[in-house]
Amino acid sequence: MNLEKTKKTPSPQFKWFFISILIGVFSGSASAFFLVALEWATQIREKNNWIIWLLPIGGLLIGLGYHYWGKSVVKGNNLLLEEYENPQKIIPIKMAPLILFGTLITHLFGGSAGREGTAVQMGGAIADQFTKLFQLDASERKTILILGISAGFASVFGTPLTGALFALEVVYFSKINFKSILLSFFVAYIAFFTVELWHVKHTHYNILFVPEISFMTLFWVIIVSVLFGLAAMLFSRSTHFWDHLFSKTIAFSPLRPFVGGCIIALAVYFIGTTKYIGLGIPMIVDAFSNPNTSYDFLLKILFTGFTLGAGFKGGEVTPLFFVGATLGSTLSLIVPLPIALLAGMGLVAVFSGATHTPIACTVMGMELFGIESGIFIGLACSIAYLSSGSVGIYNAQIVKGAKYHLYQKLKRKNTDFL
């Protein structure tokens, strides 16, 4: 009798194999739809610049949507991290459509935001529905959330290795079991190939020349990497500042993106350019071959922090790419390193500093630009990570490891000095 029951009971390995395929396919398909819809929204906005005057109305719609239907999911990526650290409730599936349409409205009418937050939240919400379906316990639910983050990130950027590592690193490596690590990579590739099957393309960047390693090249890499870390710190603190200011000054949350939309529309009108709104991918691509002006990265920080702080939806990673690439491009005017290498290092290093994920960002650099630049990319990501301060873009992220110990020592020294 026991033998018969054993035969009929699916093995744990098969169960997780099946769950991973489901999460990868559903999350990958959601990301594919999102990327196509996002491109459509971007094209409409770029062909009709007047549409930015509707940004306040779009912001009001987003605000009302979250106020009446989305209070339980308004924390976004931070909710995923909180549920991983301290599992309480299954993430409502409504997180997926709310963040999807909120992000599309933000981009359609001219807000400055990214896309990874949308894909990660869709992936996390989709994945967590299997917690109840398969009656998973708290420990297994942690694995589910990692799979959702991995699938969302890998599918939206076309970087499966990075997606898997980002999901593991952003929740802090030491608390993760071996099963979660293997499944994170598996689901990332399932999601990645799902997007490929839908024939959705990703943006490509090139570093055509990588100099030889020497004392002087390493010296300049260290200098610029510290600057990338400081840019990441400024980005993170700017986003939190605007969020706190809007929350403090405008009590009724739907009015925050309405007011913010009015200010952004006026700002774009007076500066006379739309290059700092939306994803900014044309500016990122151009940064690899043409030096940017010194204030491009600062204005992107300002526009993105203000947009997200006001309550518009989207992610932070592509704007971080913009900030890093344009800063690196600007530095090429005074730093004797190839412009494409500086832009590429900046692209991933600022991301590393703002998310506390140097390993994932190093791998992303090699996935995007090739392994030839790996040493420069790895150094840039590590140094930017260490020099970006203890505050990142995710409030709920647990910061441990080398950075944690470094800033704890600095904090103790400052206390002793005082």
Side-chain angles (χ1 to χ4, degrees), residues 385-412:
Y385 157 73
L386 291 172
S387 59
S388 61
S390 57
V391 176
I393 56 175
Y394 306 132
N395 284 322
Q397 186 179 14
I398 303 298
V399 182
K400 294 289 185 181
K403 173 179 271 192
Y404 173 79
H405 295 296
L406 172 64
Y407 284 94
Q408 284 297 308
K409 281 185 178 180
L410 292 174
K411 187 177 180 180
R412 282 196 296 268

Side-chain angles (χ1 to χ4, degrees), residues 64-321:
L64 289 171
Y66 273 87
H67 181 74
Y68 288 108
W69 300 294
K71 286 184 178 179
S72 60
V73 297
V74 73
K75 291 182 179 179
N77 288 353
N78 285 306
L79 178 61
L80 298 179
L81 297 176
E82 286 176 4
E83 285 296 324
Y84 178 86
E85 190 63 25
N86 184 26
Q88 296 291 326
K89 295 181 180 179
I90 293 174
I91 294 169
I93 190 61
K94 63 183 176 182
M95 171 183 267
L98 279 170
I99 189 62
L100 171 64
F101 290 110
T103 304
L104 292 177
I105 289 172
T106 297
H107 282 279
L108 175 63
F109 296 123
S112 175
R115 53 191 172 176
E116 105 295 334
T118 307
V120 165
Q121 289 175 52
M122 289 194 299
I126 290 169
D128 210 14
Q129 305 314 303
F130 295 107
T131 297
K132 186 175 181 179
L133 183 63
F134 288 90
Q135 298 181 334
L136 305 179
D137 59 29
S139 175
E140 291 175 317
R141 185 168 177 239
K142 289 193 171 191
T143 299
I144 277 286
L145 291 174
I146 287 175
L147 299 189
I149 295 171
S150 174
F153 196 100
S155 56
V156 81
F157 287 117
T159 52
L161 289 175
T162 305
L165 287 169
F166 178 81
L168 297 167
E169 198 173 9
V170 79
V171 299
Y172 185 47
F173 268 117
S174 73
K175 295 185 177 182
I176 297 170
N177 58 45
F178 186 66
K179 177 183 71 177
S180 297
I181 296 173
L182 292 178
L183 291 173
S184 182
F185 283 93
F186 179 61
V187 77
Y189 274 96
I190 294 294
F192 167 73
F193 285 119
T194 298
V195 174
E196 293 287 300
L197 288 173
W198 285 111
H199 301 290
V200 177
K201 303 299 180 184
H202 297 94
T203 307
H204 296 282
Y205 310 95
N206 294 304
I207 296 178
L208 299 177
F209 172 69
V210 178
E212 293 184 3
I213 298 174
S214 67
F215 174 79
M216 285 307 297
T217 56
L218 293 178
F219 169 78
W220 285 112
V221 166
I222 292 170
I223 296 298
V224 300
S225 298
V226 171
L227 295 177
F228 293 145
L230 295 176
M233 181 193 298
L234 181 60
F235 185 100
S236 299
R237 292 185 182 277
S238 170
T239 303
H240 297 319
F241 168 78
W242 291 115
D243 179 51
H244 176 73
L245 183 64
F246 273 99
S247 299
K248 185 178 178 181
T249 55
I250 303 176
F252 187 53
S253 60
L255 283 180
R256 296 169 195 164
F258 176 80
V259 173
C262 292
I263 296 172
I264 293 170
L266 287 170
V268 171
Y269 173 76
F270 282 113
I271 65 174
T273 180
T274 59
K275 64 183 183 180
Y276 303 114
I277 62 175
L279 291 172
I281 287 178
M283 285 282 288
I284 298 173
V285 174
D286 186 65
F288 281 74
S289 54
N290 298 304
N292 286 90
T293 53
S294 58
Y295 52 79
D296 281 337
F297 79 99
L298 289 172
L299 285 176
K300 188 62 175 178
I301 290 174
L302 177 61
F303 271 91
T304 305
F306 193 88
T307 298
L308 297 177
F312 287 93
K313 298 301 172 182
E316 297 93 350
V317 173
T318 305
L320 286 167
F321 289 173

